Amino acid sequence: WMGCGECAVCRRGDEQLCRTPSSLGVFRAGGYSDFLLVPHPRYLFDIGDLPPEKAAPLACSGVTTYGALKKVGAVLKSEPLVIIGAGGLGLMCLALHKAMGGHSAIVVDIDPVKRAAAKMAGARQVIDGGARDAAQQIVAATNGGAWAAIDLVGSSGTARLAIDSLIETLIGAPDR
């Protein structure tokens, strides 16, 4: 993410807050270029001996899912996490969850091939997101509801599934 370089937030390194952003591929040409000129060394990261084809996914799916996992907080290590979507983002999330010492993961997807891939990648359980009782299956698998769900699909249906799968933590809520 690159800002204008001129305003106070950009000068202090908070380009994500810039009112005139200039990120590559969105506000500035170059997102699909073979080569591009980077305006400042702070935007570069030394990948060392890591092959570029292995480093590239970390810049998008890795950062996206790492940010989501960090927001889960302490329950990451003590409670099962629900990951909705077993495509590239979901499998990256599962790998990072494991690397971060995550308790266990329940992966939800409508595609049986992707569910199988998630199971092979270490998911404790996989659930068909298209099943009428998918939320109930998640609640049962988490012993009363998930403390956290990461929706990597982003449809209204998957958002509803995530919400319906969460544990009721309101003060005075009945025990399950």
Side-chain angles (χ1 to χ4, degrees):
W1 184 267
M2 290 181 251
C4 69
E6 305 296 322
C7 66
V9 295
C10 287
R11 285 195 307 272
R12 73 174 182 237
D14 290 327
E15 292 89 343
Q16 76 277 10
L17 302 175
C18 182
R19 290 179 186 240
T20 55
S22 62
S23 55
L24 293 175
V26 178
F27 298 104
R28 171 189 267 177
Y32 292 102
S33 298
D34 290 333
F35 302 96
L36 58 103
L37 182 62
V38 178
H40 194 280
R42 73 173 168 249
Y43 301 116
L44 301 174
F45 182 81
D46 184 2
I47 62 170
D49 294 332
L50 191 62
E53 63 275 8
K54 292 194 180 214
L58 298 175
C60 185
S61 63
V63 171
T64 299
T65 56
Y66 178 76
L69 288 164
K70 290 297 285 182
K71 290 176 183 162
V72 170
V75 298
L76 180 81
K77 294 184 179 184
S78 63
E79 298 292 334
L81 172 71
V82 175
I83 300 171
I84 300 176
L89 285 172
L91 294 178
M92 177 64 78
C93 189
L94 184 60
L96 289 174
H97 175 266
K98 191 184 314 182
M100 294 168 70
H103 178 276
S104 60
I106 298 164
V107 178
V108 180
D109 202 289
I110 60 172
D111 184 339
V113 174
K114 290 179 181 176
R115 289 194 307 272
K119 190 70 171 169
M120 286 181 52
R124 181 184 89 190
Q125 186 171 347
V126 293
I127 293 174
D128 180 354
R132 298 183 125 235
D133 66 340
Q136 291 81 9
Q137 288 183 53
I138 295 168
V139 169
T142 56
N143 197 24
W147 285 85
I150 297 176
D151 178 5
L152 297 167
V153 176
S155 71
S156 59
T158 57
R160 179 84 261 154
L161 177 61
I163 292 167
D164 290 345
S165 302
L166 296 176
I167 193 166
E168 293 179 18
T169 59
L170 297 175
I171 296 173
D175 292 337
R176 290 186 183 210

